[in-house]
Amino acid sequence: MRVCVVGAGYVGLVTAAVLADGGHQVRVVETDRKRLAALRQGQAPFSEPDLDGILARNQAARRLDYAGTLQEEGEPFDVIIIAVGTPAGPDGHTDLAAFWQVAAALAALPPGERVVAVKSTVPVGTGDRLEAYLLDQAGHASWYVASNPEFLRQGSAVWDTLQANRLVIGTSEDKAAVALTALYSCLARPVLLMDRRSAELMKYAANAFLAMKISFSNEIANLCDLVGADISMVTLGLAMDPRIGGAFLGAGIGFGGSCLPKDLRSLAAAGRDLGYRMELVEATMKVNEHQRLLLAWRAERLLEGLMGKEVAVWGLTYKPGTDDVRGAPALDMLAYFVDSGARVRAYDPALQARQEVAGLFPAVRVVNDMYQAVDGAQALMVLTEWEAFVQADWHRILSLMACPVVLDGRNCLDSRVLEAAGFCYLGVGRGRPAPDVVSGRQEMTGMALLQAVAGVRSGGH
Ligand code: UGA
């Protein structure tokens, strides 16, 4: 089939690559000129496992090409997929500016039968509005608009697309259902047909539910710290109940990225507009906001203030396997440290992330080596569970740090190994006597805790 994908972000480019690989003739439309030029030279604008190879072989086979505008030469496209970004506006409502620009370009196409699949995450009812607009502007009576939400994750986008657990197609029109089912038949994945509004809402519900699981786990983890229980054991028990499931119960400094936070805000805003308060969604966001700074407050207590203190931060991206720092908890943490007068050295394995953070925080010293970051530090904050951090040489780190304090924001380190090496280790919900910022109660704080840790070296390096 002849397919046009508008928008070369994670969703658009990965979808285009996989569909071309499945034998379709795919055109990617990207209006950003720099991005377009790079794509034409075979460079993806972001790093994503396996993507470069698929793009290269399909470009070479002439099944995939790139254009700067939405135009048809000769035969019309059978399917046009809209995959442009729909970021959050200042009040939480979705910013649909890019989406409506695409709509205007669609309206300018000549008449003919086409299916428009909306992959961008858009508020419920946007598909209805697009269809009405196309009919109104250009009399495109034989255009069928379907919702076709995407569930891929950054860092495993190609795998998630090839192994999709469901392909949701939201339309009441047989022509659209038949065309999109045919389009995706190359993937041989389960197809779920539903009406357009349900499909649009399903996408938000999926991200909100995942976020809710994370916030729930974080809330229980905070209680673990108060009662001396271990969240990893609690979630292990939860996971063995198939009604609950173990995925997305990882406690830590909360969720970030460009999707979960914005989709929750958009859902809450949609509810508010209709006079309905989405209590669970709002509580999920509130828990997450608190969680993002929890570890910074703990470091502050432990070090008895942050002014002039040397803090090392490992992990700047919102999760491992990506170079994306959008919505990363690390950004909130860095802002807090800088505002509190700490001297911060930061490191991330992703060069792009280091460069972005250096631009965003001139007061933070971004370094190119993880051991350089901890040299002389009084506390090390681990904010992304990159494998390099898990496999770090802790004896070397112990010899470099001025104070052997490690705060593990992803519960990714082995507390026994660190404690045996002589570190004061604090995770989230690991049942340690943490300086308590959850309820205001204090158990063991500041230097008292440090002194309780074997091998502590106070003072300078
Ligand atoms: C998310 C969804 O998982 C995808 O299904 C969806 O398609 C995508 O948003 C989207 O709407 O485009 P993504 O943002 O790439 O994907 O990342 P996730 O793997 O979901 O992680 C999001 C955040 O949650 C990260 O900061 C991660 O560290 C955090 N997280 C995840 C936890 O704190 N605990 C967990 O157990 C899992």
Side-chain angles (χ1 to χ4, degrees):
M1 294 169 85
R2 282 176 47 82
V3 185
C4 176
V5 178
V6 189
Y10 284 91
V11 170
L13 199 56
V14 171
T15 303
V18 167
L19 289 177
D21 221 37
H24 298 294
Q25 192 62 43
V26 183
R27 155 82 46 93
V28 176
V29 175
E30 174 55 58
T31 50
D32 182 312
R33 295 171 103 179
K34 232 171 116 186
R35 201 172 254 229
L36 178 65
L39 282 165
R40 282 181 166 150
Q41 282 170 9
Q43 287 160 12
F46 43 81
S47 80
E48 190 61 41
D50 304 327
L51 183 60
D52 292 351
I54 305 183
L55 290 174
R57 72 170 169 261
N58 285 287
Q59 209 175 343
R62 297 185 181 278
R63 279 192 300 269
L64 181 66
D65 66 8
Y66 303 98
T69 51
L70 178 52
Q71 280 175 339
E72 286 170 334
E73 295 120 23
E75 291 277 293
F77 297 115
D78 299 305
V79 176
I80 298 171
I81 296 175
I82 304 180
V84 291
T86 50
D91 58 356
H93 287 92
T94 308
D95 176 354
L96 290 170
F99 180 86
W100 287 112
Q101 270 172 21
V102 178
L106 288 176
L109 290 176
E113 195 171 287
R114 292 176 195 82
V115 170
V116 178
V118 179
K119 263 201 184 298
S120 303
T121 302
V122 293
V124 180
T126 305
D128 293 2
R129 285 193 282 282
L130 175 62
E131 200 168 78
Y133 170 84
L134 291 172
L135 191 60
D136 184 51
Q137 293 289 307
H140 285 327
S142 52
W143 285 58
Y144 305 100
V145 175
S147 168
N148 179 210
E150 183 51 60
F151 306 102
L152 59 79
R153 293 160 299 173
Q154 287 179 218
S156 55
V158 171
W159 168 263
D160 287 348
T161 306
L162 292 172
Q163 299 300 321
N165 41 31
R166 76 289 207 199
L167 294 161
V168 172
I169 298 173
T171 177
S172 307
E173 295 285 348
D174 287 349
K175 288 210 168 165
V178 168
L180 291 176
T181 307
L183 177 74
Y184 289 119
S185 61
C186 58
L187 297 177
R189 305 306 301 163
V191 171
L192 183 58
L193 278 173
M194 61 180 74
D195 64 279
R196 193 162 54 201
R197 285 183 171 236
S198 300
E200 288 170 334
L201 184 54
M202 206 253 112
K203 165 70 190 184
Y204 284 99
N207 275 358
F209 195 82
L210 293 171
M212 193 177 69
K213 285 186 88 176
I214 298 169
S215 277
F216 176 81
S217 191
N218 280 330
E219 199 161 66
I220 298 291
N222 294 343
L223 195 63
C224 283
D225 277 332
L226 294 174
V227 300
D230 185 344
I231 188 66
S232 60
M233 288 298 127
V234 175
T235 48
L236 205 59
L238 289 174
M240 290 177 80
D241 184 335
R243 293 172 303 173
I244 300 174
F248 277 68
L249 289 178
I253 48 167
F255 56 81
S258 61
C259 303
L260 263 47
K262 100 165 151 89
D263 289 353
L264 285 172
R265 290 181 70 203
S266 176
L267 202 54
R272 271 200 312 275
D273 289 349
L274 296 165
Y276 180 67
R277 195 161 171 196
M278 310 278 293
E279 305 266 11
L280 272 178
V281 171
E282 290 190 4
T284 298
M285 292 192 283
K286 211 168 162 193
V287 170
N288 198 52
E289 276 162 29
H290 173 266
Q291 209 67 22
R292 289 164 79 101
L293 284 179
L294 186 74
L295 233 55
W297 298 329
R298 285 190 174 167
E300 190 166 19
R301 284 269 173 110
L302 266 171
L303 300 176
E304 297 183 332
L306 290 169
M307 183 58 73
K309 300 286 162 56
E310 297 279 347
V311 178
V313 171
W314 276 2
L316 303 171
T317 55
Y318 78 98
K319 64 173 187 179
T322 175
D323 53 15
D324 198 341
V325 298
R326 285 177 296 171
L331 302 185
D332 287 4
M333 198 88 85
L334 289 175
Y336 188 84
F337 284 135
V338 169
D339 289 350
S340 308
R343 292 145 64 96
V344 187
R345 241 177 290 172
Y347 170 79
D348 191 279
L351 173 66
Q352 169 80 10
R354 295 204 296 274
Q355 288 171 341
E356 268 185 55
V357 166
L360 287 170
F361 295 94
V364 170
R365 210 175 132 207
V366 181
V367 295
N368 292 327
D369 178 82
M370 60 193 251
Y371 296 101
Q372 194 188 345
V374 299
D375 195 357
Q378 292 165 289
L380 164 62
M381 320 289 298
V382 180
L383 306 187
T384 312
E385 65 274 38
W386 285 102
E387 196 54 27
F389 303 157
V390 178
Q391 303 298 338
D393 177 346
W394 292 105
H395 291 288
R396 182 171 170 201
I397 294 164
L398 190 71
S399 70
L400 288 169
M401 288 184 76
C403 228
V405 176
V406 176
L407 292 105
D408 179 0
R410 294 294 182 187
N411 286 350
C412 59
L413 307 175
D414 189 332
S415 57
R416 285 162 308 180
V417 170
L418 268 81
E419 281 167 353
F423 284 96
C424 165
Y425 170 88
L426 279 181
V428 179
R430 307 293 287 271
R432 292 289 177 278
D436 178 7
V437 290
V438 179
S439 72
R441 238 179 64 213
Q442 286 193 22
E443 287 174 354
M444 216 175 179
T445 64
M447 293 318 284
L449 178 55
L450 285 182
Q451 279 152 12
V453 179
V456 70
R457 291 173 299 139
S458 53
H461 179 53

